[in-house]
Amino acid sequence: MAQPVVALFGYESSTFTIKIRHVLRLKRINYTFVPVPTMMPRPTLRDHFHLTYRKIPVLAIGRELYCDTSIICEALEHFFPHSEGYQSLYPTAQDGRNYRPLIRGFASYWTDRPLFRVTCGLMPASIWRSDFGVDRAQLIGHKLDPDKLEKKLPENLSKLDTQLSLLEPLLAETDGPWIFSTPSPSLADVSVYYELLWGSEIASGRMTSHITQGGHGDEALEGATPVFNAQRYPALFSWYRRMQLYFDALPSVEDQTTPLERVLEQMKKAPALGQKSLLLPTPRSTHAELDERTGLKIGSLVSVVPDDTGRDDPTIGTLVAISPEEVVIKPQALESPATVETRVHFPKVGFVVRPVPESKL
């Protein structure tokens, strides 16, 4: 059976776009990369899909859109399984156990959150002084003071040192070359690697021009090297080099030549998932009584927002399906018809899903 169209909407200097690019390459899934601006607006997503969600990346599998890397990873693992020749994000460890739930939590509650906040704190002040800083202040919900953030760089570098200190024993005491003693890199390895890769690049000033869309040129800064080096954390740094070599040896699976119009046509022609296939597998189905009590009825209008930043930009749509871990909506129509009729999938971890009061309709 032919592989469904897979398209990744993101930008080169996006932390989480880098994460999913590595996941796709690790699993060896062919996909098209569709670049979007580093700042709002992003008409590609809004106009073609009526998607007002402002975080990046967004992954399309056929006509289904997945928002947030946690559910993107689960969707890729489900639709491109090891049984069909794709590499797994959760290989069985040397002790015979599969640590998938633990690895998912490791990524969601450590690397994607506290470690990410630390690496963000290493961004040069020139980035915050650009239009990118204004855009991210709107995302966060309050003004940012570039001078204050610049003065905090040594403190944030110290916080990175703390994170690296926590990670070092994990690599020093493993029974193999990878985290959790798996025979090949797992999502745990990717989750640490992409953060250290992005953090090193952004702190050094090598991504400044791209992330500010030319608002400020690249810089040559010391970055994270005072704490992230082979002498201070030998096991972690050695593992980092192994990851670099591992990915360098993998074939490229990314297509950057297919125009957006062609991607949209491929999406329109993709068959829609049936109701039974719409949700990713979970140990239990949705708790109908709790859904009733919280107003999350199929067919109702709901609002989906992250529980950290971006809460002023809700995604509103009709609730199509729900499970203990996932919510699927049909996005609310905007001014003109969408190019592709899609359904949007969000994880429930890290998001708030609530019915839209009639007064706001």
Side-chain angles (χ1 to χ4, degrees):
M1 187 172 67
Q3 177 188 305
V5 57
V6 177
L8 179 65
F9 298 84
Y11 57 90
E12 299 275 352
S13 52
S14 157
T15 330
F16 294 103
T17 298
I18 291 172
K19 175 184 178 181
I20 298 304
R21 279 176 134 173
H22 280 82
V23 166
L24 287 160
R25 193 168 184 179
L26 179 67
K27 287 188 66 64
R28 297 164 204 185
I29 299 170
N30 294 314
Y31 70 100
T32 299
F33 181 69
V34 182
V36 299
T38 65
M39 297 170 261
M40 298 297 280
R42 297 191 179 108
T44 296
L45 299 174
R46 188 184 190 279
D47 297 348
H48 294 302
F49 310 131
H50 289 177
L51 183 63
T52 55
Y53 177 69
R54 63 168 292 160
K55 291 189 178 183
I56 291 297
V58 172
L59 184 85
I61 302 178
R63 285 190 275 159
E64 308 297 324
L65 299 181
Y66 292 86
C67 299
D68 193 83
T69 61
S70 62
I71 197 169
I72 288 173
C73 290
E74 295 311 300
L76 291 172
E77 186 73 359
H78 174 65
F79 291 112
F80 302 91
H82 184 261
S83 60
E84 294 183 11
Y86 297 96
Q87 187 157 325
S88 176
L89 297 176
Y90 308 105
T92 301
Q94 290 185 19
D95 62 5
R97 298 180 64 184
N98 187 287
Y99 290 97
R100 183 172 184 167
L102 187 59
I103 291 172
R104 291 179 66 188
F106 178 90
S108 291
Y109 292 104
W110 187 355
T111 60
D112 287 358
R113 292 191 175 222
L115 182 54
F116 171 62
R117 286 194 291 270
V118 167
T119 54
C120 272
L122 302 179
M123 294 171 72
S126 55
I127 293 176
W128 301 119
R129 293 189 178 103
S130 72
D131 289 342
F132 181 87
V134 176
D135 178 81
R136 288 313 188 264
Q138 294 170 350
L139 172 68
I140 295 168
H142 61 78
K143 290 185 178 181
L144 297 172
D145 185 338
D147 294 335
K148 184 178 179 180
L149 292 171
E150 187 170 36
K151 291 177 182 177
K152 288 186 69 175
L153 282 171
E155 178 184 332
N156 291 330
L157 196 59
S158 178
K159 289 180 179 179
L160 176 62
D161 191 51
T162 299
Q163 295 289 322
L164 301 180
S165 181
L166 293 170
L167 286 165
E168 176 72 5
L170 191 62
L171 278 306
E173 299 170 10
T174 184
D175 294 329
W178 313 116
I179 300 174
F180 289 102
S181 301
T182 52
S184 58
S186 72
L187 180 62
D189 295 275
V190 173
S191 296
V192 176
Y193 179 67
Y194 87 87
E195 277 295 351
L196 296 181
L197 173 63
W198 181 83
S200 297
E201 290 294 304
I202 202 75
S204 70
R206 288 191 288 269
M207 287 183 171
T208 302
S209 178
H210 185 273
I211 204 167
T212 62
Q213 294 183 175
H216 195 286
D218 282 347
E219 304 161 275
L221 307 171
E222 69 172 3
T225 54
V227 296
F228 185 40
N229 58 68
Q231 290 71 41
R232 188 161 178 81
Y233 295 110
L236 180 60
F237 203 81
S238 177
W239 164 87
Y240 183 79
R241 292 301 188 206
R242 284 198 301 275
M243 285 290 286
Q244 286 182 315
L245 292 172
Y246 186 92
F247 276 97
D248 285 346
L250 292 178
S252 174
V253 291
E254 182 175 277
D255 165 34
Q256 292 196 26
T257 62
T258 301
L260 174 61
E261 293 73 19
R262 175 62 179 154
V263 173
L264 296 174
E265 284 300 317
Q266 291 173 336
M267 290 177 65
K268 282 195 283 188
K269 293 177 181 178
L273 289 177
Q275 194 66 27
K276 291 183 178 180
S277 305
L278 193 55
L279 292 165
L280 299 176
T282 53
R284 298 290 181 270
S285 60
T286 190
H287 197 297
E289 181 184 347
L290 287 178
D291 291 345
E292 179 76 21
R293 290 165 62 182
T294 54
L296 299 180
K297 302 177 183 178
I298 300 300
S300 61
L301 198 65
V302 298
S303 167
V304 186
V305 294
D307 64 7
D308 49 9
T309 59
R311 286 174 286 185
D312 292 335
D313 296 281
T315 302
I316 296 175
T318 303
L319 184 61
V320 175
I322 189 170
S323 79
E325 300 180 21
E326 180 182 5
V327 60
V328 187
I329 68 170
K330 180 180 179 181
Q332 189 177 45
L334 300 178
E335 301 84 11
S336 56
T339 306
V340 183
E341 293 291 333
T342 62
R343 290 173 295 198
V344 187
H345 301 243
F346 291 94
K348 291 177 78 174
V349 170
F351 286 79
V352 178
V353 186
R354 288 182 178 148
V356 176
E358 291 186 8
S359 60
K360 294 187 178 182
L361 296 179

